[in-house]
Amino acid sequence: MPRSTPEDGADVRLPRRLLAAMVLVAFFALSLSSYVALTRSLQYQTRDEGPNAGYAVELASGRLPTIDTPVTTDARRYPQVVEGLKTMVDEPHRHIWTANHPPLYYLMSLPFVAAAGALDAPQVMIVGMRMINAVGSALCVLLVGLIAFEVTRRAATAFLATGISASCAVLVTAGGHIANDGVAVAASSLTLLATIRILNRGLSARRLALVALAGAAAAGAKAPGVLTVVLCGTAIAVGLLLQDRSRRGVVRALVGAAVATGVPGLATGWFYVRNIVLYGDPTATGALLEKFDREPNGTWWQVLTDGSLWLDWYERLWVPLLAGGYVVVADLLAVVAAIGLLVLVVRRARTGSTGQTWARPGWLLLAVHAAVVLVNLVGFVAGGGNPNDRYLLPLMPLLATVLAVGVMAVVDVIPVGSRESRADLAAAATTLALGVYAFLIFRWFIGSQTYVGRLPNSDARGAELVVAVGVVCGLVAVCLAAWPARTYAAPQPLRDQPAPRRR
């Protein structure tokens, strides 16, 4: 795989072979999510599937719901949703409590709602809404690798970061349910990627348009996307000002920030104003906590310093709650990465350099983004919110990249073979191991007691074929990453040849 040096790191481009391998890893993750989407019965409250489906039904009827709007009771058209209503013991849970979210994901679901009615096939809506989430989650897996490449400038690290995110149980299994997380995290990650490219490579109309459109999707899918939009707009302004402090540079910085934040604001601001009018705050958090009689979980500082909570959050990203025996894999990954990061710190202290090519603005943006997300999340949990593992998914670009950097730092100190070939093989082997782990977790999940019931008329054989294709894609990806890159000799200039003698 081609590598960059400190001198040419800013101009390095992603190798096509690596990009193809990363896309195949994302397809592997998509195949596992697709099986869940195609076969599992509707989980009314477990993944908020009932109210999310009810949200889309209300939109299809031309109404934007509130958190007090009842979920549909049309048993003929939506039998699974109505059946789930019967399991709720109180009235608040029979409402569309997810109506505090902006409507992008639910607008994307409208074709499937219409198709379900036209075909008299209720499962079309369920599977369709799930597949939107699954595709978004798979896109996030790919975007994690692209972001890792932008900030590390190292192909092996980027591929490994893709494999790490694909092994995340929450991304894969939760991606198979009716939820807006996949779309939201993919849009947020794309906004970060486009912003980092502006910071690394300069402002262009195409990159700025991508930031604006991705930001509009992030803010239109879930409230944390607003934080991403504001942060990325600020980063663009500061980054451009530091590059050029002339009058022209100031204008470019202000225009860039205005477009990056203004387009999402115009597209989605009305919804958050509506939430303020209806509930008193942009996210309706207070109204929801009151609706479900939630009690505070302690002070902000108590939640922040609760080490067991953070460890549990991290482990649950990779290990379902009841699959305790698999937690050793997540812990081992963290320990190896921590050792590698310590190696980099020691090397920096001794030599003044880590031996790596870093894109510092990108790292800073990811770190600040993670801090903002965590501060917001800590406040939510302290107020009585549920510490759901899905809420950590916006951190995946930073988390997977840091873990990959740490693992590769350990590989770099192993005195076997050349540094580059060793990195390629290690990234491929580690990704293969993580892929096996993801498949084992998947097998455990679909065979566990939590995987209750099947969708009516679901085709288990067809879903298994999808998984088989995904496994093949994962194996091909590992082979592409491990296969030695071919090198080509630079073309030699033609030398002047003596003119032929005339006879």
Side-chain angles (χ1 to χ4, degrees):
M1 298 178 187
R3 297 297 191 280
S4 62
T5 66
E7 290 76 20
D8 64 5
D11 298 324
V12 71
R13 293 295 182 266
L14 186 65
R16 292 182 180 179
R17 183 163 58 90
L18 175 66
L19 177 59
M22 291 161 59
V23 169
L24 291 173
V25 171
F27 269 115
F28 167 72
L30 176 60
S31 72
L32 303 185
S33 299
S34 297
Y35 184 95
V36 178
L38 292 167
T39 63
R40 195 182 190 194
S41 61
L42 183 80
Q43 303 297 296
Y44 185 91
Q45 185 180 351
T46 304
R47 292 292 178 179
D48 300 347
E49 287 201 298
N52 280 328
Y55 194 142
V57 170
E58 286 294 305
L59 279 185
S61 301
R63 298 182 296 269
L64 185 60
T66 71
I67 62 173
D68 297 316
T69 301
V71 173
T72 180
T73 56
D74 187 346
R76 187 188 68 82
R77 297 183 63 185
Y78 312 106
Q80 288 87 19
V81 177
V82 175
E83 187 68 22
L85 278 171
K86 300 176 182 178
T87 66
M88 298 297 101
V89 296
D90 58 5
E91 187 63 24
H93 282 94
R94 299 187 184 98
H95 297 162
I96 305 175
W97 67 78
T98 56
N100 66 315
H101 294 306
L104 177 61
Y105 167 69
Y106 309 98
L107 288 171
M108 296 171 66
S109 304
L110 291 184
F112 298 103
V113 179
L119 300 174
D120 193 23
Q123 68 272 20
V124 170
M125 180 187 74
I126 296 174
V127 172
M129 294 185 71
R130 285 174 166 180
M131 288 305 299
I132 293 174
N133 186 38
V135 171
S137 299
L139 181 58
C140 177
V141 170
L142 175 61
L143 289 168
V144 165
L146 296 176
I147 291 173
F149 187 79
E150 286 291 328
V151 297
T152 66
R153 311 279 172 73
R154 192 175 186 189
T157 302
F159 179 74
L160 179 55
T162 308
I164 290 174
S165 60
S167 69
C168 176
V170 172
L171 256 181
V172 173
T173 58
H177 295 96
I178 300 176
N180 57 4
D181 297 284
V183 174
V185 176
S188 176
S189 299
L190 183 58
T191 308
L192 291 170
L193 173 63
T195 302
I196 292 172
R197 285 186 171 175
I198 288 177
L199 299 178
N200 286 347
R201 308 178 187 185
L203 183 66
S204 69
R206 183 176 180 180
R207 292 171 190 146
L208 184 58
L210 183 58
V211 171
L213 294 176
K222 212 167 184 179
V226 176
L227 302 176
T228 303
V229 168
V230 174
L231 178 60
C232 288
T234 303
I236 290 172
V238 174
L240 294 179
L241 281 174
L242 291 177
Q243 294 173 8
D244 183 0
R245 300 181 185 179
S246 66
R247 179 177 298 179
R248 179 175 179 273
V250 172
V251 171
R252 280 169 55 85
L254 293 178
V255 170
V259 172
T261 56
V263 171
L266 291 173
T268 66
W270 63 271
F271 180 83
Y272 294 101
V273 171
R274 175 180 182 267
N275 272 2
I276 293 173
V277 172
L278 290 176
Y279 315 115
D281 68 82
T283 62
T285 299
L288 285 170
L289 294 177
E290 182 179 354
K291 180 180 180 71
F292 294 110
D293 296 324
R294 295 290 179 83
E295 296 293 333
N297 292 315
T299 65
W300 187 91
W301 179 252
Q302 287 174 329
V303 174
L304 181 65
T305 57
D306 186 354
S308 61
L309 172 65
W310 295 103
L311 177 61
D312 181 61
W313 257 344
Y314 166 78
E315 291 178 341
R316 283 175 60 187
L317 281 173
W318 273 270
V319 186
L321 187 59
L322 300 178
Y326 291 93
V327 75
V328 64
V329 176
D331 291 344
L332 179 61
L333 178 64
V335 169
V336 173
I339 293 173
L341 295 174
L342 181 61
V343 168
L344 292 178
V345 171
V346 172
R347 181 182 297 173
R348 176 65 181 241
R350 289 183 175 181
T351 66
S353 173
T354 62
Q356 307 284 338
T357 301
W358 304 107
R360 293 181 180 178
W363 278 112
L364 181 60
L365 176 61
L366 292 179
V368 174
H369 175 258
V372 170
V373 170
L374 289 176
V375 167
N376 181 63
L377 184 55
V378 167
F380 172 73
V381 173
N386 179 29
N388 198 302
D389 43 31
R390 290 178 294 160
Y391 299 153
L392 292 179
L393 290 180
L395 306 180
M396 191 54 62
L398 177 63
L399 180 58
T401 301
V402 168
L403 290 172
V405 167
V407 171
M408 296 311 297
V410 172
V411 173
D412 286 341
V413 299
I414 300 175
V416 177
S418 68
R419 180 176 183 265
E420 305 308 338
S421 62
R422 186 170 64 241
D424 290 344
L425 291 174
T430 306
T431 298
L432 177 61
L434 290 172
V436 171
Y437 165 78
F439 185 77
L440 291 176
I441 283 288
F442 164 75
R443 293 296 301 173
W444 175 90
F445 177 63
I446 64 175
S448 68
Q449 295 180 352
T450 61
Y451 204 84
V452 179
R454 296 275 173 161
L455 275 179
N457 303 318
S458 62
D459 182 5
R461 291 185 178 180
E464 290 171 356
L465 178 60
V466 171
V467 173
V469 172
V471 170
V472 172
C473 287
L475 293 174
V476 172
V478 170
C479 293
L480 285 175
W483 196 264
R486 296 180 61 185
T487 57
Y488 299 89
Q492 299 296 325
L494 295 176
R495 296 181 179 179
D496 294 335
Q497 299 293 332
R501 295 181 180 178
R502 293 184 179 179
R503 294 182 180 176

